[in-house]
């Protein structure tokens, strides 16, 4: 083998190696985690800082990589054509095309890109210095293509991304869990924090019908009995009806007052703190902190009492249910052996629909309200309806309020049977 042939072979190998370098660089910077690079750079890692600077100027980076990759691929193909023409004669160009296609695909594209995707951060930091030098050398050519990019950007204007940032963050959390960098508990906590800012007091409050309160005319002994029976440590105090809440009574303050001989609970209660039902719970938490209160009275748009919210309700939206040693633990959804489930009527409808994988296009906010909406009347025990392949049956009522429903898969004959009573019931309504 002559020296000129040896030079061509070495040049061809160098072109394939450079093709692998550019391909790996392209994939690494497309897949790199910029947040991780930024963290490493802030900790003093110079390689991470250099890689981050390239990633921040991605248009210039990708243009330089593509120019370099195409140059070495074309050069390699030309060299291979010369070599194979000398070796096999007229069939040289054909053989060169087949061989170079396989070589570039295997060693210049697929293999380096596969490895670069698996080790994106390491590759990005490793190639940052030589890649920066190549881009600097190609600056004049890159400048010409920058003009072309700006022309294309003016002609083909991208549509604005309508996806909210919360949805993008949720997707990032899902991907982090799938890749093993985050466990389910951490993922749930981050999702709760993201959803936290979108919820308002109405979503987490104890509704008016479930509020236990003290009338301001009760004696201290009667209030003491109510505290003992309810198990609560704080109770709102009302005058005449719940729309006129005049204070909040603390159990600790009650016993201290009794010990001191105070007989009027109005002297013991503290002024109430009010909030509109539309107040975001992030602001509600700040309100509790600034007023040093654990219980807030939620008002409707007409100034009437809608319900109450405690600081525990707010924190539970972040960390899940919080139980103490005196709480009765009642699961909102209880799965039965036959595949059906018993659901609490006060459960937010969105939670049930998410579990059933159904879309939420209903007016109601709770499962009980959904039941009334679908039946078109005040439900009774045993009333049922079928919706999107599920049969929902009322199994518990507290006066006119649905407390429990049973949700099961609807059989085809159940669908037909459920339609006739529903039509009859709507006529009666």
């Amino acid at each position: 083998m002559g020296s000129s042939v040896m030079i061509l072979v070495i040049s061809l190998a160098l072109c394939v190696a450079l093709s692998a370098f550019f391909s790996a660089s392209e994939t690494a910077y497309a897949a790199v985690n910029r947040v991780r690079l930024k963290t490493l750079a802030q900790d003093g890692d110079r390689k991470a800082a250099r890689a981050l600077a390239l990633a921040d100027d991605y248009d210039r980076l990708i243009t330089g990589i593509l120019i370099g990759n195409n140059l070495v691929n074309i050069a390699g193909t030309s060299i291979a054509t010369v070599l194979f023409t000398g070796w096999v004669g007229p069939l040289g160009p054909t053989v060169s095309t087949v061989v170079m296609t396989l070589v570039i695909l295997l060693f210049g594209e697929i293999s380096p890109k596969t490895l670069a995707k698996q080790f994106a951060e390491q590759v990005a930091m490793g190639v940052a210095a030589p890649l920066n030098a190549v881009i600097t050398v190609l600056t004049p050519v890159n400048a010409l293509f920058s003009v072309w990019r700006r022309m294309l950007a003016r002609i083909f204007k991208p549509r604005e991304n309508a996806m909210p940032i919360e949805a993008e963050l949720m997707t990032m959390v899902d991907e982090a869990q799938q890749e093993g960098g985050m466990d389910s508990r951490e993922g749930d906590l981050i999702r709760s924090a993201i959803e936290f800012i979108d919820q308002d007091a109405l979503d987490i409050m104890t509704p008016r019908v479930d509020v236990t309160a003290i009338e301001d005319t009760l004696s201290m002994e009667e209030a003491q009995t109510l505290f003992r029976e309810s198990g609560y440590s704080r109770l709102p105090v009302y005058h005449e009806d719940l729309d006129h809440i005049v204070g909040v009574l603390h159990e600790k303050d009650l016993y201290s007052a009794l010990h001191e001989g105070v007989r009027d609970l109005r002297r013991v209660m503290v002024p109430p703190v009010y909030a509109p039902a539309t107040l975001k719970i992030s602001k509600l938490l700040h309100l509790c902190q600034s007023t040093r209160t654990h219980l807030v009275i939620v008002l409707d748009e007409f100034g009437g009492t809608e319900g109450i919210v405690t600081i525990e309700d707010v924190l539970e939206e972040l960390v899940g249910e919080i139980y103490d040693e005196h709480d009765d633990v009642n699961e909102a959804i209880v799965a039965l052996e036959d595949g059906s489930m018993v659901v609490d009527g006060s459960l937010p409808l969105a939670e049930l629909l998410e579990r059933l994988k159904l879309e939420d296009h209903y007016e109601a906010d709770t499962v009980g309200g959904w039941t009334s909406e679908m039946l078109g009347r005040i439900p009774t025990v045993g009333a049922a309806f079928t919706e999107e392949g599920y049969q929902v049956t009322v199994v518990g009522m507290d006066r006119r309020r649905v407390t429990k429903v049973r949700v099961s898969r609807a059989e085809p004959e159940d669908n037909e049977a459920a339609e006739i009573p529903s039509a009859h019931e709507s006529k009666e309504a």
Side-chain angles (χ1 to χ4, degrees), residues 241-263:
D241 57 49
L242 279 177
D243 285 325
H244 299 86
I245 293 179
V246 293
V248 174
L249 183 62
H250 296 243
E251 185 179 24
K252 181 182 67 175
D253 296 340
L254 174 69
Y255 286 116
S256 297
L258 282 171
H259 180 72
E260 296 172 0
V262 177
R263 312 307 302 172

Side-chain angles (χ1 to χ4, degrees), residues 215-235:
E215 190 170 5
D216 60 354
T217 56
L218 292 184
S219 66
M220 299 285 279
E221 289 73 16
E222 289 174 319
Q224 183 180 3
T225 301
L226 189 57
F227 271 115
R228 185 171 59 251
E229 292 176 349
S230 67
Y232 297 122
S233 59
R234 296 172 180 81
L235 291 174

Side-chain angles (χ1 to χ4, degrees), residues 27 60 75 89 133 172 182 186 188 200 254 258 260 268 326 332:
T27 301
R60 178 170 171 266
M172 291 172 62
M182 181 184 299
E186 293 171 335
D188 291 340
D200 51 37
L254 174 69
L258 282 171
E260 296 172 0
V268 185
H326 301 296

Side-chain angles (χ1 to χ4, degrees), residues 57-95:
D57 193 4
Y58 190 75
D59 285 344
R60 178 170 171 266
L61 169 70
I62 196 65
T63 302
I65 289 175
L66 292 176
I67 292 172
N69 202 18
N70 279 280
L71 285 176
V72 297
N73 285 341
I74 293 170
T77 302
S78 301
I79 294 170
T81 301
V82 173
L83 281 172
F84 282 101
T85 300
W87 288 339
V88 298
L91 291 177
T94 303
V95 175

